[in-house]
Amino acid sequence: AQSVTQLGSHVSVSEGALVLLRCNYSSSVPPYLFWYVQYPNQGLQLLLKYTTGATLVKGINGFEAEFKKSETSFHLTKPSAHMSDAAEYFCAVTMLTFGGGTRLMVKP
Amino acid sequence: KAGVTQTPRYLIKTRGQQVTLSCSPISGHRSVSWYQQTPGQGLQFLFEYFSETQRNKGNFPGRFSGRQFSNSRSEMNVSTLELGDSALYLCASSLAEGGEETQYFGPGTRLLVL
């Protein structure tokens, strides 16, 4: 069985500050891990994914995530938040299991 | 390339009715998956179709069903609607089946059951 836990349903940062969205997973097999972003009234858009190979994955819009097997984590980071980053973010293990989502708010 | 399209975008139904939602995948994509998104339950996987065959199914009652046509377009049907079926229904397509495949999501169909 697989599961995904996103710590913090709401995260607020100031514009220009570091963004850190946490994701921990449980999987009985080597996981495929994804981060998606959802803007209001839209579907999900893939930010980045990890399948195999390099554990630091770079995605779109300046986001990156690091797969840490020992910690069963796949946290999403961005060095400097922009107002346009305000959205809901979902971590997923394969296509079957999504986390509960984290709403990112960016303060001017 | 056109993205994933879903029709209709909004729908209002009453309890007991049935509804059919449609999804057209990106050209060349053969896998289509459906998800239900609600504030309480989050994103939940409904089912995946590949080459007209259901490959995976989530934990939903039999009232929820789907199919895929030879052109990869997919429909999902919900019979005997309940108030709790009110949700955003998302469709996603990918080139092939498999957990590592990148999925491309449509904008969703927002269903309201009264």
Side-chain angles (χ1 to χ4, degrees):
Chain A
Q2 298 173 324
S3 66
V4 178
T5 301
Q6 290 184 238
L7 293 173
S9 59
H10 292 79
V11 169
S12 181
V13 301
S14 297
E15 192 173 20
L18 170 72
V19 175
L20 170 60
L21 304 183
R22 299 177 188 273
C23 172
N24 287 88
Y25 70 90
S26 171
S27 178
S28 56
V29 296
Y32 300 122
L33 297 162
F34 301 80
W35 273 101
Y36 290 91
V37 62
Q38 185 178 33
Y39 297 100
N41 299 315
Q42 294 185 30
L44 276 67
Q45 179 184 8
L46 180 70
L47 282 174
L48 48 82
K49 70 176 182 180
Y50 169 79
T51 53
T52 58
T55 57
L56 182 62
V57 181
K58 294 188 184 298
I60 63 171
N61 301 340
F63 286 95
E64 62 182 38
E66 186 171 10
F67 170 59
K68 292 187 176 180
K69 184 177 178 181
S70 61
E71 298 177 9
T72 60
S73 69
F74 192 56
H75 302 331
L76 181 71
T77 60
K78 181 174 180 177
S80 177
H82 192 273
M83 296 297 291
S84 61
D85 295 327
E88 189 151 22
Y89 292 79
F90 293 90
C91 181
V93 178
T94 68
M95 67 192 319
L96 302 178
T97 308
F98 283 75
T102 297
R103 186 167 298 279
L104 175 65
M105 295 167 284
V106 182
K107 298 175 291 187
Chain B
K1 230 180 208 182
V4 177
T5 58
Q6 293 187 243
T7 56
R9 290 292 311 277
Y10 303 92
L11 205 50
I12 300 176
K13 291 285 189 179
T14 57
R15 278 182 300 173
Q17 288 187 308
Q18 73 156 10
V19 67
T20 299
L21 312 181
S22 180
C23 172
S24 292
I26 292 172
S27 178
H29 284 195
R30 297 171 62 192
S31 175
V32 173
S33 300
W34 289 89
Y35 298 85
Q36 182 195 65
Q37 186 177 21
T38 60
Q41 300 297 318
L43 265 163
Q44 294 185 283
F45 171 76
L46 278 156
F47 26 66
E48 178 197 15
Y49 285 87
F50 180 78
S51 294
E52 302 178 65
T53 303
Q54 189 178 90
R55 301 293 189 165
N56 278 300
K57 189 177 190 306
N59 189 25
F60 277 81
R63 301 186 296 107
F64 291 81
S65 63
R67 59 177 176 169
Q68 186 180 34
F69 302 95
S70 58
N71 62 358
S72 294
R73 190 177 70 86
S74 177
E75 290 181 346
M76 70 162 280
N77 184 275
V78 187
S79 62
T80 319
L81 283 166
E82 301 176 359
L83 295 179
D85 297 333
S86 295
L88 180 67
Y89 289 88
L90 293 166
C91 165
S93 76
S94 58
L95 274 170
E97 61 177 330
E100 76 275 24
E101 286 292 320
T102 295
Q103 293 192 93
Y104 297 84
F105 283 79
T109 294
R110 189 166 295 279
L111 171 65
L112 177 62
V113 182
L114 301 176

